[in-house]
Amino acid sequence: EILARTGVLAATSAPAPTSIAKTAKTLWQQGVLWPDLEISLRRAALGLLLGLSVGIVTGVLGGFLRTGEYLFNGVVQIFNTIPILAVLPIMIVWFGIDELPKVLIIAFGAAIPMYLNLFSAIRGVDQRLIEMTRTTGAGTWRLVSRVLVPGALPGFLVGLRFAFAYSILGLVAAETVNANQGLGYLITQGQTYLQTNQVFVGLVIYSILGLAADQLVRT
């Protein structure tokens, strides 16, 4: 704030925080900010729901069943090395430039960390607890509900934190390419017309969404 007001930082490259706040207020009053924020939240929610569903189902199958590990683990490890931005072009080729590829990119970002952490958490449950439970004559359901699920829960929550974070990254990637709505579109428009304040408004909102998601899971 001080550097911007004293002219050390040019307003065209690093505007003052108060200036960014005023721009956000103006965009909101003009009815520009809320529609873009709403569409971004909808995309993020749909993509996150799809990604978590896929990640949890495959993570549970891979963690509990050797067959599931053979089916999913290698594929997910390969996908884990592919950047989200590298997947975006093929998504556009396959599904066009409508909402579907954007939602799938967000889902891709959420599913991978969810699977990896859940799979690792299930496989990392103390084997001595499992053996002790079996020696008492407990059935499969009791073993799963009393030992495996509580034991894997911390790893699941870590995966959930990463899934939220990577879904935000997926949202940013999806909205900065061939988007005509959303926060990414707002940022792109600001870049095109050299409206740096508008670019920072979008960045700040992305940051707030990421922090809020992380705090939710931490709580």
Side-chain angles (χ1 to χ4, degrees), residues 14-183:
T18 51
S19 177
I20 297 170
K22 290 178 182 177
T23 300
K25 181 180 179 181
T26 301
L27 291 173
W28 183 275
Q29 292 174 339
Q30 292 175 346
V32 174
L33 185 56
W34 171 244
D36 286 328
L37 177 58
E38 184 181 23
I39 193 67
S40 291
L41 291 174
R42 188 182 308 131
R43 286 170 181 158
L46 289 174
L48 187 62
L49 180 62
L50 178 59
L52 288 180
S53 300
V54 172
I56 291 172
V57 170
T58 55
V60 168
L61 292 176
F64 285 140
L65 304 175
R66 191 67 62 182
T67 304
E69 179 184 4
Y70 293 148
L71 284 174
F72 303 123
N73 204 51
V75 176
V76 174
Q77 293 292 349
I78 292 172
F79 283 155
N80 188 43
T81 64
I82 302 176
I84 291 178
L85 284 174
V87 179
L88 187 56
I90 198 66
M91 289 289 186
I92 293 174
V93 170
W94 284 350
F95 303 109
I97 59 174
D98 294 328
E99 287 299 300
L100 182 58
K102 297 177 179 60
V103 172
L104 291 178
I105 283 293
I106 298 168
F108 179 85
I112 303 301
M114 187 74 261
Y115 171 88
L116 291 174
N117 283 275
L118 185 55
F119 172 84
S120 177
I122 293 173
R123 291 299 176 91
V125 174
D126 193 337
Q127 289 298 315
R128 292 172 297 180
L129 292 176
I130 297 175
E131 292 170 3
M132 183 178 67
T133 306
R134 284 174 173 162
T135 58
T136 61
T140 302
W141 171 248
R142 195 171 184 84
L143 173 65
V144 171
S145 62
R146 295 297 183 89
V147 178
L148 292 178
V149 170
L153 187 59
F156 167 78
L157 292 175
V158 172
L160 193 60
R161 288 182 69 185
F162 279 110
F164 274 116
Y166 280 92
S167 67
I168 297 296
L169 293 178
L171 177 65
V172 175
E175 290 191 334
T176 52
V177 179
N178 290 323
N180 54 13
Q181 287 179 303
L183 293 174

